[in-house]
Amino acid sequence: MKNIKYILILLLAVSFFSCDDDDITKLNDSNYEPASNITGFGSTLNISKAIKAESIKITYTPASYGVDIVTTHQLQFAASSDFANPVTFDIDAADDSFTFTVGALNELLTESLLLPVDVEANVSARVMTYSLSGVDTLYSEPVSFATTPYLDILFAPETFYLFGDGVGRVAQNNKLKFNKVWGEDDVWTIVWMEATGSFKLCSDENYKGVIGRIGDAVNGEYSLGTVDNRGEDIPVPGTAGYYTVGINLTTNTLLVEPANIYICGPNVNAWPTSSVVEENRFQLNAENKTMELSKSFLGGELRLHVTHPYISSGDWWHAEFIFLDGKIEYRADGDDQERFNMNAGEQTIVLDFINQTGKIE
């Protein structure tokens, strides 16, 4: 009986693998047809914040591998017809179509493709199809359309953000978020500014959107716009580099100055304000777009902070930050931060505020 059972199992296995091989042969010999007949974009796709909740439906004729296998269709976009840097839309196909909101598309255009707002752009779209491992991915012929992305800030309560061509972006960018000064009615951020251009601020819903400056600076300080008068673009200082932007929420003013970042504590055996000296100040590496400090450190807990006229000089920890596992972490209005210890010796601390990273070399 045991021998009969094993023979039956062997026959079933041979039958299964024979079918598998036959299916693969059919797949290899079949005619592949990518998706086609993409419709719904038109030659010009009009989008705006006023209709951000409305839906856009894109239909297509599905791809075929010539045999009945599982396939997945996804929609891709690119800023050029050659799809040099395609972005895949995170939506699922249903009934041979893709449905998404105007707002979702605008976010992809501004956040993923990095297209400027209020400027008409030519965008290309295609349907990508994939199946089993080892089977070729298929791409439809692209369709192109003109559209004009719009500004739509992604708000967080009681938070300011920077945006503008002078700070590297003309769309929303939640990475350029302001940090609360602990125990004070101020906020700050360190940002790379270009040699030319301008920027504005956006805030929470209480301000209902974008604000800039009212008039010219007085001793470097700008009065900010209000709900009644949004204000104009704020010009960058004129020399590319890292700058600290501070906002006094009580006086509704803004002050930009070159970033002044210092180390203090056991690594230099000094605390503010006596530690706030040139030998403890980070220097700009304009070529790498980093802030760096090279010296012989004593070892111990790493303590970093920024200075600015709006931040109390004696209370350095009100604007303290650190990096953990390579990522910059801000104390803001939170509790004392987790720490890590540096080794003693000649080393370089490198801070990258564009990518919000830090490291020791």
Side-chain angles (χ1 to χ4, degrees), residues 33-227:
E33 293 288 345
S36 58
N37 300 321
I38 302 172
T39 60
F41 291 112
S43 59
T44 300
L45 182 64
N46 294 314
I47 61 175
S48 69
K49 189 172 182 178
I51 58 171
K52 63 182 292 185
E54 294 186 8
S55 294
I56 299 171
K57 184 175 183 179
I58 306 301
T59 61
Y60 62 94
T61 300
S64 171
Y65 285 98
V67 293
D68 188 16
I69 59 173
V70 175
T71 58
T72 300
H73 293 84
Q74 289 189 301
L75 192 58
Q76 287 191 323
F77 293 89
S80 60
S81 58
D82 62 1
F83 278 81
N85 296 292
V87 172
T88 302
F89 210 172
D90 187 20
I91 56 171
D92 296 324
D95 300 325
D96 303 336
S97 66
F98 299 96
T99 302
F100 46 89
T101 64
V102 169
L105 176 62
N106 185 72
E107 184 174 344
L108 178 138
L109 297 175
T110 57
E111 288 294 287
S112 300
L113 289 185
L114 307 185
L115 296 178
V117 297
D118 298 330
V119 177
E120 185 177 85
N122 289 315
V123 179
S124 294
R126 69 183 180 187
V127 175
M128 175 180 68
T129 308
Y130 59 91
S131 183
L132 305 174
S133 177
V135 177
D136 292 344
T137 299
L138 304 180
Y139 299 96
S140 71
E141 286 294 320
V143 296
S144 297
F145 60 95
T147 192
T148 304
Y150 59 88
L151 181 65
D152 186 17
I153 304 303
L154 306 177
F155 291 114
E158 300 179 1
T159 304
F160 279 101
Y161 300 95
L162 275 178
F163 71 96
D165 58 355
V167 292
R169 290 290 304 279
V170 292
Q172 64 264 38
N173 188 344
N174 286 1
K175 291 180 181 178
L176 300 184
K177 176 182 177 181
F178 281 81
N179 308 292
K180 187 74 174 67
V181 178
W182 198 98
E184 301 179 34
D185 204 15
D186 308 293
V187 294
W188 65 277
T189 190
I190 294 175
V191 59
W192 177 269
M193 292 190 176
E194 306 294 347
T196 60
S198 61
F199 64 92
K200 279 188 176 180
L201 310 171
C202 63
S203 62
D204 64 26
E205 291 87 343
N206 293 329
Y207 282 86
K208 302 185 186 301
V210 176
I211 55 175
R213 63 182 172 91
I214 303 296
D216 296 326
V218 177
N219 296 323
E221 188 176 58
Y222 289 101
S223 294
L224 291 176
T226 63
V227 174

Side-chain angles (χ1 to χ4, degrees), residues 256-268:
V256 179
E257 70 168 23
N260 289 302
I261 303 163
Y262 294 88
I263 188 171
C264 65
N267 274 289
V268 293

